[in-house]
Amino acid sequence: MAGQLDSLLKNVAKQIVSDLGTSLDSTISYVKKGTSSYNLDTGEEVSIDTTYSDLKVPVEFVQSTEDDGRERREAKIYISPDLIGDNQPSFEDEITITYAGSTRVGQIVNIDTRQGGQTYLFTILVRF
């Protein structure tokens, strides 16, 4: 029974993210940072990243403040795992938010993972 409930929760979360993301004027690109390695021959650090583009997800703008004369905004982004290749988000990843004709790169400052026997929703707080 627990496995069936987990599957139901995962499918409901996926549908809600999809429905809300489609109806709102916000799109994100998610960059999953890969494993870094050091190339001894060139002296460069190399990372292979994976980009998930044009994701329609709900974005909740939670705060807008002024910090040293600069505006700072925070937003909650709701992502179902399937949208980012069933990867666990990390603080090193990057999210680019497009809304109302503007594009901003956000820094991930908090990750809330909802799960039972399987992961079904990430709530990510970004600052930009």
Side-chain angles (χ1 to χ4, degrees):
M1 182 63 170
Q4 291 174 336
L5 183 57
D6 257 0
S7 293
L8 175 66
L9 288 172
K10 184 175 183 173
N11 290 333
V12 168
K14 180 179 175 179
Q15 190 63 47
I16 289 171
V17 166
S18 176
D19 290 348
L20 286 175
T22 300
S23 66
L24 301 173
D25 183 26
S26 58
T27 303
I28 70 163
S29 291
Y30 189 97
V31 178
K32 179 67 182 164
K33 294 295 186 176
T35 305
S36 295
S37 62
Y38 185 75
N39 185 327
L40 294 174
D41 295 332
T42 64
E44 295 179 323
E45 185 175 3
V46 180
S47 175
I48 300 173
D49 302 335
T50 305
T51 301
Y52 303 93
S53 300
D54 299 321
L55 303 178
K56 298 275 188 188
V57 297
V59 177
E60 175 187 358
F61 295 94
V62 294
Q63 184 175 345
S64 181
T65 60
E66 188 174 324
D67 186 16
D68 293 329
R70 295 180 54 151
E71 184 176 26
R72 186 179 83 177
R73 296 180 182 170
E74 290 184 347
K76 283 186 184 177
I77 299 173
Y78 301 89
I79 301 175
S80 57
D82 61 299
L83 294 176
I84 56 172
D86 290 318
N87 290 302
Q88 173 69 38
S90 70
F91 293 108
E92 291 78 29
D93 298 344
E94 292 178 0
I95 294 179
T96 302
I97 304 170
T98 303
Y99 65 97
S102 178
T103 300
R104 302 279 189 264
V105 176
Q107 174 189 6
I108 298 174
V109 294
N110 192 21
I111 302 165
D112 182 28
T113 302
R114 300 294 174 173
Q115 62 186 9
Q118 56 187 323
T119 302
Y120 53 88
L121 182 66
F122 301 116
T123 304
I124 301 173
L125 183 67
V126 296
R127 184 174 295 146
F128 56 99

